[in-house]
Amino acid sequence: MLEIEGKYQQGQEILLLVDMSLVGGDAGYNIQDLFRESHWVTYEGGLRMVNQLGNPTQILGEVETVFFDVQTWGSDPNSGSYFTVPDEIEVINHYVDTLRTSGVKISSPKSNSYGYLSAY
């Protein structure tokens, strides 16, 4: 995540291939999810990492929870505007807001992220 944030800060556009289990904070890997529940999102910065006490940390061994912004399914992470069918709005809103406000345990991105692409 630090590498991705660094590239984003340098002005690169970052696309992440993630599993929907990332939002629920689920850890673990299921090869079937790659075909059923994975999709590309745009990384929008805002990386924050906190330790078990909720204090900010850059020491990877101490990181308990990570927070970051993404754009997905036509949603704007800043305005919350969505371009999708009404039934999906609540699911998408939860997805974007969870990563930004509640964060997820560090084990979830480790096991639910399949890679990323970066470009200027």
Side-chain angles (χ1 to χ4, degrees), residues 64-81:
E64 180 76 14
T65 305
V66 295
F67 304 80
F68 52 94
D69 293 334
V70 296
Q71 181 175 349
T72 183
W73 289 296
S75 67
D76 179 335
N78 297 313
S79 72
S81 297

Side-chain angles (χ1 to χ4, degrees), residues 9-95:
Q9 293 298 324
Q10 293 172 0
Q12 295 186 35
E13 296 292 331
I14 310 292
L15 299 174
L16 305 172
L17 182 58
V18 299
D19 188 318
M20 285 298 288
S21 298
L22 175 68
V23 178
D26 300 331
Y29 176 75
N30 181 340
I31 189 66
Q32 294 300 317
D33 288 346
L34 181 60
F35 305 104
R36 295 180 297 175
E37 297 186 15
S38 64
H39 63 282
W40 291 97
V41 298
T42 303
Y43 180 78
E44 297 291 335
L47 178 65
R48 292 183 297 127
M49 301 183 299
V50 299
N51 63 20
Q52 191 173 14
L53 300 174
N55 297 321
T57 185
Q58 294 291 316
I59 302 170
L60 296 180
E62 294 180 1
V63 176
E64 180 76 14
T65 305
V66 295
F67 304 80
F68 52 94
D69 293 334
V70 296
Q71 181 175 349
T72 183
W73 289 296
S75 67
D76 179 335
N78 297 313
S79 72
S81 297
Y82 297 99
F83 305 100
T84 186
V85 296
D87 292 344
E88 295 179 353
I89 290 175
E90 190 170 328
V91 173
I92 294 167
N93 190 34
H94 172 74
Y95 180 70

